[in-house]
Structure formats: structure tokens, C-alpha cells
Amino acid sequence: MDRIAEYVDRLWDAGLTAAAIDPLTAGDPELSVDDAYTVQEALLDRRLANGERIVGAKLGLTSKAKQITMGVHQPVFGWLTDAMLLDDAAVDCTTLIHPRVEPEIALILATALEGPRVTPADVLAATGSFAGAVEVIDSRFHGYSFRLPDVVADNTSAARFALGSPRQLTPEIDLRLLGCVLESDGSVVSAAAGAAVANGPLRAVALLVEHLATRGRRLEAGWVVMTGGLTDAVPLAGHVVSAGFDGLGRVTIAPAAIR
Ligand code: OOG
Ligand code: MG
């Protein structure tokens, strides 16, 4: 079996059995970011063959808060499927390894977006609505520790996500100023505004589209884009985690067991 197929198997099994594995770069220090995206795409193909449907894409490590904590200093890009979308605030943690929650601004596209060159104004024109959101990330690697190629291969730790009520995006709304407060068990953990992610969600999506163009892909109408954690992530196990967004209300989740 070739190296890429073996990494796909390892990551697939880790996700399926909720059992962490060693970072791929531990045994393969030369693994390139490009090959890591090939692993990521093969994992996506396996999800699709398994009956899942793409519902959008995500950015990760777009904020300084996230980059500093994870020690990876550039944005990463991954995929969202229908199986990841939470339809309930109760999260089944038995299928996850060491889940963490982070608040994000989600954009919902009205039209497709395609690179290679795209500006924040193009993203604004293609966006229908936006929503407050939380992402549950769950690195498949031991100790939540990884290097850039590892986290890319692992579909940027994507596990679950929940969306608040969407609101129409109009040119007067400055998403860079959209405030967010993250709480765990009723205590404020951190606060941030939209500019924290790549100088704003519109610019973040432009980066994503430019990346996708290098892989011969684009964003489709109706897709959701998670623009990246605005603050550091907090542990989910044993906690009620809530993210409040200016003018958008709150998104609250908790492990199924403690609700
Ligand atoms: C990598 C994924 C980061 C974000 O929003 O920054 C991410 C990780 O921290 O596990 O999704
Ligand atoms: Mg995220």
C-alpha cells in the first residue's frame, strides 16, 4: 500500500474508533503540506463513498489566539459534511477523543465562489447570510499535538459544528466588528471580534477560495463556510459551552450525558 493510502487508513480508523494515533510526521518528518492535502481529499472521498454529503468548508488557525496555542502559524483548510452538523445541543462525546469547542462566524453562500483570485468584496457579493456558530474540533493525534502537515491530513481536526440562526448579510454590516463572548459553565472564558480571523471573515473566505483553486476546487452555492476559531478552544467533556454573538444570539452545546 502506498504511503498516502496508509495515512488515510490510519486517520479513518482513529476517527471511527475514537482512538488517538501518533502524528504522521513522527514517522515521516518530510511529509509535505501538498501530500497532506491529498490525504485529506482521500479521506473526504471515503466519507462520500460512505454516504456523507459535502455541506461546506472550513478554515482553521486563522486567529493569532489559535495559531499561538497550537504552534502552527498559518491558516489551514478542510471540509464539512452533513454528518458533522449537529441538529441538537447534546453532543455524543463517546464517539470523540478529546473534543474542544471554539466560537466561529459562519457564512452561507448564495452563489458559487471560484479562484484563483478573489477579494473580500467578491466574497461579500457571493454571501447570502451569516450566523454565529461553534465548531467541535477533535484532533485524531495523541495529546492534541501536531505539525502543519498532520493537521491538514486530519481535515483540520473537524468533528462537529452547530449553527445559530442566520441573518442576511448586507454591505452595511462590518463582520470585522462582530463581537463574540465565549462562556464555559456560565463563566466568560474569552471574547473577540470578527477581525480576529484573518482580518475578518470575508478575507478568510477569500484565502480559502484561493487555496481551493490550487486544488482545482471551488465553493458551491448553499455551502456553509466556518471562518475559524475567534478565540482559543475550550474542552467540551463535562462542560456547557456557549458562544454569544452580537445581534445573532447564542449557540450552546454540552455533552449528551450531562444535559
Ligand atoms: C486545528 C483546527 C483549528 C480553527 O478554527 O482554528 C480550527 C486545531 O486547532 O485542532 O478549526
Ligand atoms: Mg475551527
Side-chain angles (χ1 to χ4, degrees):
M1 185 174 9
D2 73 14
R3 194 172 60 116
I4 301 286
E6 190 201 317
Y7 297 161
V8 172
D9 278 351
R10 274 194 224 167
L11 282 163
W12 181 261
D13 290 346
L16 211 63
T17 58
I21 57 172
D22 287 334
L24 306 177
T25 56
D28 185 357
E30 304 300 313
L31 179 64
S32 70
V33 174
D34 208 49
D35 282 350
Y37 276 110
T38 303
V39 174
Q40 183 194 102
E41 285 166 0
L43 270 168
L44 175 68
D45 287 344
R46 199 171 282 196
R47 283 181 174 274
L48 300 181
N50 211 35
E52 293 179 38
R53 189 168 54 84
I54 301 175
V55 295
K58 61 165 282 190
L59 292 103
L61 307 175
T62 42
S63 68
K64 274 274 175 289
K66 289 283 311 181
Q67 291 183 354
I68 290 168
T69 303
M70 304 320 297
V72 174
H73 298 273
Q74 64 191 76
V76 290
F77 312 95
W79 297 100
L80 301 174
T81 73
D82 58 339
M84 301 176 191
L85 181 57
L86 293 168
D87 51 12
D88 194 279
V91 184
D92 179 3
C93 285
T94 62
T95 57
L96 300 170
I97 303 167
H98 38 205
R100 296 180 181 178
V101 188
E102 53 195 14
E104 306 206 11
I105 297 168
L107 302 191
I108 298 113
L109 297 184
T111 58
L113 258 176
E114 191 165 349
R117 289 232 306 274
V118 56
T119 64
D122 296 329
V123 177
L124 174 65
T127 302
S129 55
F130 65 109
V134 295
E135 182 178 25
V136 178
I137 45 172
D138 192 37
S139 174
R140 265 56 66 168
F141 301 115
H142 283 304
Y144 224 106
S145 172
F146 48 69
R147 292 172 52 206
L148 174 61
D150 302 303
V151 66
V152 164
D154 187 21
N155 194 28
T156 67
S157 309
R160 306 281 183 272
F161 67 104
L163 299 174
S165 305
R167 187 173 149 198
Q168 192 189 345
L169 184 62
T170 56
E172 304 76 59
I173 297 172
D174 186 349
L175 293 177
R176 299 174 70 257
L177 302 181
L178 179 65
C180 162
V181 175
L182 178 66
E183 293 178 9
S184 180
D185 299 328
S187 299
V188 174
V189 183
S190 44
V197 289
N199 199 20
L202 297 179
R203 177 148 178 282
V205 175
L207 297 177
L208 168 64
V209 175
E210 287 177 358
H211 160 78
L212 289 176
T214 69
R215 311 284 311 176
R217 293 177 181 256
R218 66 173 199 174
L219 296 175
E220 302 295 342
W223 280 10
V224 176
V225 180
M226 296 285 284
T227 58
L230 293 155
T231 69
D232 255 339
V234 293
L236 175 59
H239 302 284
V240 176
V241 181
S242 181
F245 297 86
D246 188 20
L248 294 171
R250 225 168 232 298
V251 185
T252 303
I253 61 172
I258 67 163
R259 277 181 85 246

